[in-house]
Amino acid sequence: MMDIKTYLYNTLTKQVDEFVPNEPGKVAMYTCGPTVYHYAHIGNLRSYIMEDVLEKYLRFVGYDVKRVMNITDVGHLTSDGDTGEDKMLKGAKREHKTVMDIARFYTDAFMADCEKLSIKKPDVVEPATNCIPEFIHMIEVLLEKGYAYVSGENVYFDTSKLDNYYVLSSQKEEELQVGVRDDVDEDTNKKNKTDFVLWFTKSKFDNQELKWDSPWGVGYPGWHIECSCISMKHLGEYMDIHCGGVDNIFPHHTNEIAQSESYTGHKWCNYWFHVNHLNTKNGKMSKSKGEFLTVSLLEEKGYNPMAYRFFCLQSHYRKPLEFSWEALDNVVTAYDKLVKRIANLTEEGTVDSSACEEYEKKFAGALANDMNTSSAITVLYDMLKAALSDASKRHLVARFDEVLSLNLTKAWENGESAVDDDLSAYVEGKIAERAAAKKAKDFATADAIREELASQGIVLKDTREGTLWEKQ
Ligand code: AMP
Ligand code: ZN
């Protein structure tokens, strides 16, 4: 284990806490997986990218991580407040296919997108439809313990039985009732507004395709129960980190805590890691609204998915991130420049292990500070500029890329030829001359240098990080 303390913002305590797992050296980690009724949009994938960095960081500093993810293939209705249509059924109708066909197709599509973005597959990936007996068992225990009730032939969790239902949020109840507020036909079977469905038997939809026998009649599970059961099936009754997007805080994660802790009778998960949203200028990116941006669409437009990963890593996971093609273009240029810079590293010199250890500590230190990925990238840039042998730099790039997963080592692995050093030196020299001319307010010379380079197919781009160039 690296001798380092990790600090993470914890939605449960609403502060940055030192991360101390239940068992020394081991981390039990759970991620809410996708609802597989459509392609994942790049907003969903922002969450998975940042969770992937967290997992890889924990492994980097020496933890033995077990990560579990569910696949939601039943029970997630169009409103998180348990109303509307089952999203899977909606997807099946849209495409004139069966629910299971839709689930299989979009699970595979999700995994393919993750692979393109170098998101590691969790150790366990479990579809909800695999675990019906586990859901039924948990619901039976909740009924026995008096935390649940049957009403109108559905089973509900009784939120009034808890001292503090809103453990994850400090917002006022009314502000949180998004799902309920949007509800045109409020469910009159509920005793309390915040109660939620554990098992549906009286579906409003006669054509609900997937149904199972249960002690309460033929039906299907609610959405929240799947994450409580699937995590406990593979991680036991105690968990270290639970992840998801911020929209999952309420009601999904709030309900997961309610049912899991009522079931076990003790605290369940110590750290809650939530990734903020990717927005467009019109607001939160979602599957139902606006331009539906997928990894395939990025590729169709000629973008390397790695550029999108780099885009995400440059900002902090707790801040909203606004997507624009312009912003992505800037990242592409910076990414290509970085890859070229790395491709130019030779195998010369020896690996200076004590200097490398220092840099690894700096890199881990940036991430240990509540996953500050942009600082970690700065450590990478600083290291590339430092007076170290190329061999040491190669070693460190490979180590850092275990966490960043930006395909930074691909040039050496593929045996690609490095960028022509002479060309690089020539262009960098011209860029410096142009900067000096601009500083001296000699804009004619500055423009002439740009045009001279353009005539050789070299395009300059002025960015906040300085002038970047590309050979076309
Ligand atoms: P879903 O497939 O709708 O269940 O969502 C999968 C994951 O993506 C969940 O963790 C959501 O919280 C997260 N998510 C949804 N929309 C966004 C967004 N615009 N930006 C970041 N994460 C999101
Ligand atoms: Zn979940």
Side-chain angles (χ1 to χ4, degrees):
M1 283 286 292
M2 200 180 262
D3 180 22
I4 193 162
K5 284 185 179 177
T6 299
Y7 294 89
L8 292 174
Y9 180 82
N10 185 358
T11 311
L12 192 61
T13 58
K14 292 158 197 74
Q15 63 183 24
V16 175
D17 288 334
E18 184 186 342
F19 173 68
V20 183
N22 286 312
E23 257 188 83
K26 285 193 170 178
V27 179
M29 183 171 176
Y30 184 82
T31 295
C32 287
T35 309
V36 283
Y37 72 114
H38 216 319
Y39 291 106
H41 56 63
I42 59 171
N44 302 127
L45 291 160
R46 178 191 187 197
S47 289
Y48 295 109
I49 287 172
M50 302 317 283
E51 293 163 7
D52 180 63
V53 173
L54 172 62
E55 176 189 345
K56 287 174 177 166
Y57 158 78
L58 292 167
R59 292 184 192 277
F60 184 85
V61 295
Y63 286 109
D64 175 9
V65 182
K66 180 169 179 189
R67 174 135 175 243
V68 177
M69 183 176 82
N70 66 309
I71 297 284
T72 299
D73 54 0
V74 69
H76 192 177
L77 305 194
T78 43
S79 154
D80 288 357
D82 278 345
T83 61
E85 197 174 358
D86 185 316
K87 289 186 178 185
M88 293 304 297
L89 197 62
K90 198 174 157 188
K93 274 194 202 157
R94 186 186 64 231
E95 298 184 21
H96 308 290
K97 291 191 182 137
T98 66
V99 164
M100 281 332 270
D101 282 344
I102 290 287
R104 216 168 296 124
F105 180 83
Y106 287 112
T107 303
D108 290 349
F110 175 74
M111 293 302 172
D113 285 346
C114 287
E115 211 174 304
K116 286 178 188 162
L117 291 164
S118 296
I119 298 169
K120 179 185 168 295
K121 192 174 173 183
D123 304 290
V124 178
V125 177
E126 178 95 69
T129 49
N130 266 8
C131 303
I132 303 299
E134 284 90 343
F135 303 158
I136 291 176
H137 168 74
M138 189 176 275
I139 298 167
E140 280 178 322
V141 173
L142 291 172
L143 277 162
E144 267 164 40
K145 289 186 155 189
Y147 287 107
Y149 59 93
V150 179
S151 174
E153 295 162 59
N154 293 328
V155 187
Y156 294 87
F157 187 92
D158 187 348
T159 52
S160 71
K161 291 278 154 69
L162 305 179
D163 294 338
N164 184 11
Y165 168 61
Y166 292 112
V167 278
L168 275 187
S169 181
S170 57
Q171 286 164 267
K172 280 198 220 98
E173 193 170 321
E174 277 308 306
E175 285 167 4
L176 289 163
Q177 298 301 305
V178 185
V180 180
R181 249 202 332 259
D182 289 350
D183 186 0
V184 259
D185 41 38
E186 196 162 323
D187 186 346
T188 49
N189 296 319
K190 289 184 185 182
K191 287 191 199 162
N192 312 289
K193 244 165 65 162
T194 46
D195 291 355
F196 55 92
V197 179
L198 297 167
W199 187 267
F200 291 94
T201 67
K202 229 183 94 213
S203 165
K204 276 184 276 173
F205 316 104
D206 309 333
N207 54 350
Q208 178 69 20
E209 246 180 72
L210 298 178
K211 294 180 197 169
W212 295 265
D213 263 337
S214 84
W216 317 285
V218 175
Y220 62 101
W223 172 38
H224 317 295
I225 195 79
E226 67 179 82
C227 289
S228 295
C229 286
I230 293 174
S231 67
M232 283 190 209
K233 179 174 172 185
H234 298 287
L235 299 170
E237 288 190 6
Y238 295 89
M239 200 202 301
D240 296 302
I241 307 182
H242 193 309
C243 314
V246 285
D247 60 314
N248 284 160
I249 296 174
F250 186 87
H252 185 47
H253 290 165
T254 304
N255 292 349
E256 281 186 37
I257 295 175
Q259 44 191 26
S260 299
E261 299 194 349
S262 303
Y263 170 78
T264 62
H266 58 72
K267 190 170 175 190
W268 176 44
C269 176
N270 291 330
Y271 300 88
W272 287 82
F273 179 88
H274 288 110
V275 180
N276 213 318
H277 283 148
L278 181 78
N279 298 317
T280 60
K281 61 178 185 315
N282 302 321
K284 181 196 162 201
M285 187 172 288
S286 75
K287 289 181 195 174
S288 52
K289 143 180 137 206
E291 201 180 4
F292 190 176
L293 297 177
T294 58
V295 172
S296 308
L297 187 75
L298 295 187
E299 286 181 309
E300 273 164 36
K301 288 184 184 265
Y303 291 96
N304 175 352
M306 277 300 107
Y308 179 64
R309 187 173 171 110
F310 198 38
F311 174 69
C312 291
L313 297 193
Q314 283 179 344
S315 76
H316 196 260
Y317 76 92
R318 277 207 287 137
K319 291 196 183 125
L321 176 59
E322 189 172 310
F323 178 82
S324 71
W325 294 109
E326 231 183 358
L328 191 61
D329 284 338
N330 287 334
V331 171
V332 167
T333 318
Y335 176 71
D336 290 346
K337 193 175 176 195
L338 176 64
V339 170
K340 280 180 194 158
R341 170 85 185 79
I342 288 167
N344 276 325
L345 294 174
T346 65
E347 279 171 286
E348 271 164 35
T350 50
V351 175
D352 177 344
S353 48
S354 75
C356 285
E357 206 177 300
E358 278 307 300
Y359 270 101
E360 285 188 20
K361 270 197 183 150
K362 265 193 203 163
F363 176 78
L367 295 170
N369 178 16
D370 195 21
M371 287 297 114
N372 196 331
T373 43
S374 77
S375 294
I377 291 170
T378 304
V379 175
L380 168 68
Y381 278 111
D382 288 348
M383 179 277 286
L384 290 171
K385 277 188 258 159
L388 285 170
S389 67
D390 273 14
S392 297
K393 288 182 183 175
R394 272 197 179 212
H395 172 82
L396 285 166
V397 167
R399 279 290 279 151
F400 295 178
D401 211 37
E402 286 172 24
V403 180
L404 302 176
S405 297
L406 289 166
N407 273 351
L408 298 177
T409 58
K410 75 167 183 240
W412 321 320
E413 281 153 19
N414 301 346
E416 277 173 23
S417 58
V419 189
D420 181 339
D421 272 346
D422 292 341
L423 177 68
S424 233
Y426 164 73
V427 178
E428 295 294 345
K430 287 284 176 193
I431 288 174
E433 265 178 50
R434 177 170 166 264
K438 272 168 98 177
K439 206 169 165 200
K441 302 218 179 327
D442 179 1
F443 298 110
T445 304
D447 287 346
I449 293 171
R450 178 193 275 280
E451 274 157 32
E452 185 191 339
L453 288 172
S455 70
Q456 299 162 38
I458 291 153
V459 180
L460 301 185
K461 197 166 200 174
D462 293 315
T463 72
R464 269 184 308 168
E465 284 83 34
T467 302
L468 306 175
W469 63 278
E470 205 171 52
K471 177 132 174 68
Q472 306 221 307

